[in-house]
Amino acid sequence: MVVELISVGTEILLGNIVNTNAAYLAEKCALLGCSLYHQTVVGDNEERMEEAIRQAIERADIVILTGGLGPTKDDLTKEVTAKVFGRKLYMDEHSRTRIRDYFEKIKSKKVTENNWKQALVPEGAIVIDNLNGTAPGLILEDKERGKAAILIPGPPNEMKPMFEHDIAPYLNKKQPEGIYSHMVKVCGIGESRAETMVADLMDAQTNPTLAPYAKTGEVHFRVTARACSEEAAEKLMGPMIEEMKKRFGDAVYTTEENVTLEESVIRLLEEKKMTVTTAESCTGGKLSGRLLNVSGASGVYNEGYITYANASKEKILGVKHETLETYGAVSEQTAAEMALGAAKAAGADAALSVTGIAGPGGGTAEKPVGLVYIGCAVNGEVTVREYRFTGNREKNRDYAVARAITLLREELLKRA
């Protein structure tokens, strides 16, 4: 089944916003076994939008359009698609009620008249409730030609849940066989080495298939099976997943799509009934922020510290003045004392420390940009790792955060 994507919006066309929707939908459609040959971005112009839809519907079995379903005059996606399919619009009372209820829920004093435009739907369309906004999704089918257009709201926080909940199952039913997958997520092993470790599995793949995806400080492997049922797919994927667990061992932190590295570590702390804190210099709160993105993190994380200045390292974390004088702020010794000091100050069982030179300035021949020391203290025992990253400032900080979380996980796993 061939799917084509059309992203609607002048703001996307002119580069005012990044088109993350297309990247998300392309990956999801590929995982559903759909073929994708074209993507189009079109501005809020009726004539050009109609031309784009007509071309797409000739090339593809299903066209997915995102954006242009709002209440303003330049939101034309629904109207133009209805024109292409020869459908008139009518007021869908169910959608109208949901819009009214939405505004009552957010305690809006009045629903402006243009919002009712979103309840107008093409004749014969399948209406998809928007659980996170006002504009419903729509599916228009031309059964004679075997074609369909799927219209989804543009905001990612509305588009993604609607796709997962309603559109993906619809697309899966259109396939002769369903596509099912698991993500084997690995940390602490570089991309090239990780791929080498499963090269034979990738060479021999037929069904299921195995595909690597490099992430910052991680490697994800998607195991995908085509089968007539989820149960049959699980049987196909099971042996490959078990073989990967055998090869990667504790480096595999999950086989679930939506579980992140930081979530796996927070759950590990919960399981061990331990608490954690952080002491950051060059990452400036990124490490604590990533940990605290996990729901329930407050149960294991009470407080943390950002200590850029040497004086702060001494005052808050108890780093010795002579350590800073002798070895410098960016050193193994300072990272160790930062971690131990943070654990003591917070009364935590574990602590992570990060000190380094993120760049672009500040480096020397002895201590270049990208040099980072990460310390991990668990129950009074400290481990420090040295890293030399080669990205820009933002990338170096991101890699340091990923390596710190990985180090904490490794140290926690060592303890029963």
Side-chain angles (χ1 to χ4, degrees):
M1 180 171 66
V2 178
V3 171
E4 186 161 332
L5 306 179
I6 299 179
S7 303
V8 177
T10 302
E11 68 278 10
I12 301 173
L13 188 65
L14 298 181
N16 299 129
I17 64 171
V18 178
N19 189 6
T20 58
N21 284 355
Y24 170 86
L25 290 170
E27 180 181 9
K28 293 298 182 182
C29 287
L31 293 172
L32 289 168
C34 303
S35 298
L36 187 69
Y37 303 130
H38 296 88
Q39 295 183 23
T40 302
V41 177
V42 63
D44 302 304
N45 177 278
E46 183 174 354
E47 183 179 339
R48 288 189 285 273
M49 196 183 303
E50 180 180 347
E51 180 185 6
I53 295 171
R54 291 191 185 280
Q55 286 181 347
I57 210 71
E58 288 299 320
R59 293 188 293 233
D61 302 303
I62 294 179
V63 179
I64 300 177
L65 299 101
T66 53
L69 297 180
T72 62
K73 290 182 179 179
D74 62 349
D75 289 312
L76 300 168
T77 303
K78 175 174 52 186
E79 290 78 1
V80 177
T81 306
K83 179 181 178 182
V84 171
F85 276 71
R87 311 283 178 86
K88 294 181 179 180
L89 298 176
Y90 74 95
M91 179 61 66
D92 178 48
E93 292 302 328
H94 171 74
S95 296
R96 184 182 176 91
T97 299
R98 287 188 59 83
I99 291 171
R100 185 193 65 228
D101 292 346
Y102 177 86
F103 278 95
E104 288 180 357
K105 183 179 179 181
I106 64 172
K107 301 186 184 304
S108 177
K109 293 181 179 180
K110 184 179 179 181
V111 184
T112 57
E113 193 61 32
N114 59 355
N115 275 288
W116 302 124
K117 173 179 180 285
Q118 295 172 105
L120 292 170
V121 305
E123 294 173 333
I126 300 170
V127 180
I128 303 169
D129 290 341
N130 186 343
L131 303 180
N132 299 281
T134 53
L138 299 164
I139 301 176
L140 284 75
E141 296 180 322
D142 183 342
K143 293 184 178 179
E144 287 187 12
R145 300 176 63 194
K147 306 279 187 175
I150 300 174
L151 283 59
I152 315 177
N157 65 338
E158 299 178 30
M159 181 275 294
K160 291 181 179 180
M162 185 178 290
F163 185 88
E164 295 284 352
H165 188 266
D166 298 286
I167 307 306
Y170 173 85
L171 293 173
N172 222 2
K173 288 179 182 177
K174 293 289 182 181
Q175 301 277 47
E177 290 182 305
I179 304 295
Y180 305 90
S181 66
H182 279 288
M183 190 74 88
V184 179
K185 298 184 179 182
V186 176
C187 62
I189 298 177
E191 179 187 5
S192 57
R193 181 183 164 209
E195 189 170 340
T196 301
M197 290 171 68
V198 292
D200 59 318
L201 297 179
M202 295 175 67
D203 290 340
Q205 64 185 354
T206 51
N207 188 24
T209 59
L210 182 63
Y213 298 84
K215 304 290 181 180
T216 301
E218 304 177 43
V219 182
H220 298 178
F221 290 92
R222 187 175 291 281
V223 181
T224 305
R226 186 187 298 272
C228 59
S229 69
E230 185 173 0
E231 183 181 0
E234 292 289 346
K235 288 182 179 178
L236 289 170
M237 291 186 285
M240 181 176 283
I241 292 172
E242 289 305 312
E243 180 61 24
M244 294 184 72
K245 286 181 178 178
K246 180 180 176 182
R247 296 187 186 192
F248 289 114
D250 286 340
V252 175
Y253 68 84
T254 188
T255 58
E256 298 301 320
E257 175 84 32
N258 297 320
V259 174
T260 62
L261 176 59
E262 54 268 30
E263 183 178 354
S264 73
V265 170
I266 294 296
R267 301 300 167 240
L268 190 57
L269 286 162
E270 291 174 339
E271 178 186 318
K272 293 178 176 293
K273 295 181 171 56
M274 297 175 70
T275 55
V276 69
T277 186
T278 54
E280 302 178 65
S281 185
C282 67
T283 48
K286 273 200 164 191
L287 174 56
S288 58
R290 186 163 163 183
L291 291 172
L292 292 170
N293 277 337
V294 179
S295 176
S298 59
V300 298
Y301 189 106
N302 295 325
E303 61 185 81
Y305 313 96
I306 300 173
T307 55
Y308 258 71
N310 284 0
S312 296
K313 292 179 176 67
E314 292 184 47
K315 178 182 177 182
I316 298 172
L317 304 177
V319 176
K320 296 174 185 175
H321 182 76
E322 52 265 37
T323 299
L324 293 166
E325 284 290 313
T326 304
Y327 303 104
V330 180
S331 65
E332 178 182 349
Q333 292 80 2
T334 296
E337 291 186 25
M338 286 174 67
L340 290 168
K344 181 179 179 180
D349 302 300
L352 285 170
S353 65
V354 185
T355 180
I357 305 168
T364 65
E366 186 179 277
K367 295 184 178 182
V369 168
L371 174 65
V372 176
Y373 290 94
I374 298 173
C376 181
V378 179
N379 293 330
E381 296 182 20
V382 66
T383 299
V384 178
R385 299 264 177 89
E386 176 187 312
Y387 296 95
R388 292 178 182 256
F389 303 123
T390 57
N392 58 26
R393 179 178 179 83
E394 195 69 12
K395 204 67 176 175
N396 289 339
R397 296 171 78 212
D398 288 340
Y399 269 108
V401 168
R403 294 301 185 194
I405 297 172
T406 298
L407 177 58
L408 174 59
R409 180 175 179 274
E410 290 173 356
E411 293 301 306
L412 290 174
L413 288 174
K414 290 178 182 178
R415 293 156 176 83

